[in-house]
Amino acid sequence: MTPMTTNTPFPELTLDPDYKGFPFTAEPCRASEIAGRGWNILADDLPFPIAVLQRSALEHNLAWMHDYTQRKGVLLAPHGKTTMSPELFAAQLETGAWGMTFATAYQASVGIRSGARRIIIANQVVCDADLDALDALLAQTDGLRIWFLVDSLAQVALIEDWAARRARARRFEVLLEMGIPGKRTGCRTLEEALAVAEAISRSSAVCLAGVEVYEGSVANCDSEHDARAVTELVRRVVEVARACDARALWSQGDDHILLTAGGSAVFDLVIPLLRTQGLSRPVHGVLRAGCYITHDHLNYARFLGQLEKREGLDRSLRPALSVWSMVESVPEPGLALLTCGRRDISYDLEMPVALRIARRGERSAQAVQSAPAAWSITALNDQHAYLSFDPAGTAPAVGDRVELGISHPCTTFDKWRWVPIVEDDGRVTGAIHTRF
């Protein structure tokens, strides 16, 4: 059997009972046919727990970020590790994304099959197999450009050794990464950065296309602190870019310099970096926020509240991803157990939050109620969520449905091979799948 080439588009998603969350007794169907099934989350047509994407919020977030980057005069390369969904990648590209960002060569291959032709790997590439993969992807895919991060002389030497052993003439396009002491990867000082940049400029295996930084490590959701800390980081990165420019260390084959930053929390604060002026070539400033497409109910919601104040916005992004679960037991006053656990929902940053309750048998979206403020998820097992409530107040009952909000969408998506898209009234009208 001839292997499928790595740039072959994905076939349309076909769902069947092998997918968690798909009704066991339902006939398989393509994603484009799912609306015809007439399913509704509130009618218990799908088994619980089930992660869902709200179409109206997805569309709002795609349009909002497109408008935001257009107004700011920067490019967008969303981080695809958030969703790893070909359907969502295509939606981001169709809504004006300049390219996509990924963390690994495998993830990049999924993005390429989804239509991306400009890819930033916001990570160091050090493995022979990954360098082989990038070399093959570039050879197989017309018009493809890939940039990855370099932050040490050891990494430059490693890539040169790979090229010598493989007898490859390719020069990979790389970005010099600036880092933060005590945090993630990246050069810590100007002197270190220039030493690495000089080595790249002399290399026959890599060429310097620009500078990269991740600012999220310095943010703590205090606007005064975050603005000060990120501004100082931006100043350091601009200093490095200007020093590289003065020494003519950039790739000779490019007519622009790529400067890129931006997680999903304080991306507004790196806009000055992405709009740097006065270099010998025009700058392509690329924002890499990824979680914007679904946002969340806790961590990023708090950070975006600060952004809204800094930017003078009435609103910004809306949470689009949630997990519906069912009350399976109320074994004692003040405690209910839900059919949702660590295999279904994020818990890496904080526990989920109870958003809404739909009483057993209730199918009307208008009758869905906000969960009482006293309700809280206190713990998760593999398959259970512990819901604490005030016995003297509103109590959940066996068979009720509870919608849970999340903190950090990345680690909910990786628990689902598919996610239905629902309308505001609960109707299932589409689906996406993931490729983790």
Side-chain angles (χ1 to χ4, degrees):
M1 178 178 177
T2 303
M4 180 181 292
T5 59
T6 52
N7 58 357
T8 302
F10 290 105
E12 183 183 358
L13 171 63
T14 297
L15 295 162
D16 60 36
D18 282 341
Y19 284 81
K20 179 178 80 170
F22 189 84
F24 185 78
T25 58
E27 291 295 321
C29 69
R30 294 194 295 263
S32 60
E33 300 169 335
I34 201 166
R37 295 291 173 94
W39 291 337
N40 192 300
I41 292 297
L42 299 176
D44 296 354
D45 291 320
L46 277 65
F48 292 92
I50 186 74
V52 301
L53 287 166
Q54 184 183 44
R55 183 186 299 276
S56 60
L58 276 179
E59 292 177 349
H60 167 84
N61 293 346
L62 287 164
W64 187 92
M65 186 58 85
H66 174 71
D67 177 69
Y68 182 84
T69 53
Q70 290 285 104
R71 286 190 291 106
K72 296 295 184 180
V74 300
L75 304 169
L76 178 64
H79 208 317
K81 71 176 176 63
T82 297
T83 70
M84 284 306 295
S85 168
E87 294 85 3
L88 294 180
F89 295 166
Q92 290 171 307
L93 293 166
E94 290 166 5
T95 316
W98 170 85
M100 294 294 300
T101 299
F102 296 99
T104 69
Y106 164 72
Q107 291 177 2
S109 73
V110 176
I112 292 165
R113 291 184 63 184
S114 304
R117 290 300 178 266
R118 298 186 189 95
I119 288 177
I120 296 171
I121 296 181
N123 212 347
Q124 280 63 29
V125 179
V126 294
C127 174
D128 278 1
D130 287 338
L131 292 165
D132 290 342
L134 297 186
D135 184 50
L137 289 166
L138 288 162
Q140 294 169 2
T141 313
D142 291 341
L144 175 64
R145 295 186 72 178
I146 298 175
W147 300 264
F148 64 84
L149 309 188
V150 171
D151 71 349
S152 69
L153 297 175
Q155 186 189 359
V156 175
L158 182 151
I159 299 167
E160 291 174 336
D161 178 64
W162 170 87
R165 286 184 287 107
R166 296 291 197 267
R168 293 289 195 273
R170 181 181 304 285
R171 293 185 76 192
F172 290 111
E173 296 185 279
V174 300
L175 304 173
L176 180 66
E177 182 176 27
M178 290 304 297
I180 302 161
K183 302 296 182 180
R184 285 185 353 190
T185 49
C187 299
R188 275 21 184 183
T189 66
L190 172 63
E191 293 72 24
E192 181 185 356
L194 287 176
V196 176
E198 294 275 6
I200 293 171
S201 72
R202 296 190 299 267
S203 176
S204 60
V206 289
C207 58
L208 186 62
V211 184
E212 182 273 352
V213 71
Y214 169 63
E215 78 289 348
S217 295
V218 302
N220 65 10
C221 208
D222 176 283
S223 200
E224 182 179 350
H225 167 274
D226 294 350
R228 183 175 61 252
V230 175
T231 298
E232 172 58 21
L233 181 61
V234 166
R235 185 198 63 75
R236 289 179 54 226
V237 178
V238 171
E239 183 182 21
V240 169
R242 294 195 185 283
C244 290
D245 195 61
R247 291 163 176 75
L249 301 180
W250 309 120
S251 167
Q252 296 304 305
D254 248 334
D255 59 1
H256 66 272
I257 298 163
L258 198 157
L259 299 181
T260 177
S264 299
V266 290
F267 53 80
D268 61 310
L269 298 177
V270 296
I271 296 299
L273 167 66
L274 306 184
R275 297 167 62 177
T276 299
Q277 301 292 316
L279 300 181
S280 61
R281 305 176 192 178
V283 166
H284 279 183
V286 181
L287 191 67
R288 303 193 312 272
C291 294
Y292 79 90
I293 189 168
T294 64
H295 197 40
D296 72 6
H297 300 86
L298 294 166
N299 181 61
Y300 291 121
R302 289 189 289 267
F303 274 104
L304 266 289
Q306 298 295 316
L307 179 148
E308 289 165 2
K309 293 176 182 177
R310 291 191 295 267
E311 298 269 292
L313 302 174
D314 292 330
R315 61 174 186 169
S316 58
L317 302 172
R318 300 176 187 169
L321 176 65
S322 63
V323 177
W324 279 93
S325 60
M326 183 172 281
V327 180
E328 63 175 293
S329 178
V330 186
E332 61 189 63
L335 176 64
L337 279 299
L338 309 182
T339 59
C340 178
R342 290 175 178 244
R343 300 186 185 274
D344 311 303
I345 198 165
S346 304
Y347 59 90
D348 57 317
L349 293 184
E350 52 198 310
M351 288 291 110
V353 59
L355 297 175
R356 298 191 296 167
I357 179 172
R359 294 297 185 180
R360 181 175 181 271
E362 180 57 69
R363 299 188 176 201
S364 169
Q366 288 71 32
V368 176
Q369 304 169 0
S370 296
W375 286 17
S376 66
I377 303 298
T378 59
L380 295 174
N381 296 148
D382 283 356
Q383 310 288 173
H384 296 95
Y386 292 68
L387 174 63
S388 172
F389 63 92
D390 180 357
T394 302
V398 173
D400 289 346
R401 287 73 49 83
V402 179
E403 184 183 23
L404 299 175
I406 62 168
S407 188
H408 198 195
C410 302
T411 50
T412 290
F413 272 106
D414 67 9
K415 295 167 175 55
W416 296 90
R417 292 172 58 211
W418 80 292
V419 181
I421 297 174
V422 302
E423 306 303 319
D424 293 348
D425 61 4
R427 286 178 297 123
V428 178
T429 57
I432 62 96
H433 79 295
T434 65
R435 290 268 172 171
F436 285 97

